[in-house]
Amino acid sequence: MTLQPIVPGPGQESVWDYPRPPRLEPTTERVMIEFGGMVIADSTDSVRVLETSHPPVYYVPMDDFVAGALARVEGSSLCEYKGMAAYYDVVSGQHRAPRAGWTYPTPTPGFEALQTRVAIYPGAMDRCFIDGEVVTAQEGDFYGGWITSRIVGPFKGAPGTWGW
């Protein structure tokens, strides 16, 4: 697959302008997550993680999830930049999305803002919104990027993009 970055239009960002290693960016955009027919998180105090070739990953404060929506589960993974991740099942009524959320309980220096926040795979939810716009999930099952009309790629995650 040949990489041809899309030139961003007015008000858009290209993921190819994001840095590597990634950077954190606080945002007051309204982030809403629906699962099991209910709004399980609503926040204007999230942090976006911006990394080359990836749509932003939104980390929502744990306190902005409804009670019982996050159930800690076993297992971890290592991010070379952020440290060891811990996982959550996302729960809403009788609905459960296994390992659909993650956090960094003891993040590496520079990523401390993630310690009390959880990222969610948007593809595992009913719908996720950024300022009222429905999010498209990043392809693949490894990354958890949130794609809106203001983000252009191409994006890593689809088949054939692993080596970018």
Side-chain angles (χ1 to χ4, degrees):
M1 176 182 279
T2 303
L3 173 64
Q4 286 291 1
I6 297 168
V7 176
Q12 290 184 316
E13 302 172 355
S14 171
V15 297
W16 294 95
D17 292 332
Y18 294 163
R20 188 162 177 89
R23 96 170 167 256
L24 301 184
E25 179 181 275
T27 181
T28 59
E29 296 168 296
R30 186 171 185 196
V31 175
M32 286 181 50
I33 301 169
E34 289 182 356
F35 183 58
M38 296 176 45
V39 173
I40 61 161
D42 190 346
S43 182
T44 55
D45 183 29
S46 296
V47 171
R48 299 189 319 158
V49 173
L50 307 176
E51 182 175 359
T52 305
S53 77
H54 299 276
V57 175
Y58 283 78
Y59 285 76
V60 177
M62 290 178 192
D63 290 343
D64 289 347
F65 283 84
V66 299
L70 300 172
R72 185 77 181 264
V73 294
E74 294 294 319
S76 63
S77 63
L78 176 66
C79 171
E80 64 183 310
Y81 301 114
K82 298 180 285 290
M84 291 298 293
Y87 290 88
Y88 291 93
D89 285 357
V90 178
V91 180
S92 178
Q94 301 302 312
H95 302 272
R96 181 176 286 263
R99 297 173 62 88
W102 70 98
T103 189
Y104 292 89
T106 53
T108 58
F111 293 93
E112 293 88 354
L114 302 182
Q115 185 173 17
T116 58
R117 299 171 191 275
V118 175
I120 299 292
Y121 285 108
M125 301 294 102
D126 295 345
R127 294 187 304 175
C128 297
F129 301 86
I130 300 294
D131 282 343
E133 181 180 348
V134 177
V135 168
T136 299
Q138 181 177 9
E139 284 189 69
D141 60 1
F142 185 75
Y143 305 109
W146 293 38
I147 302 169
T148 63
S149 61
R150 85 170 211 210
I151 307 297
V152 297
F155 309 113
K156 192 170 184 175
T161 64
W162 192 258
W164 286 0

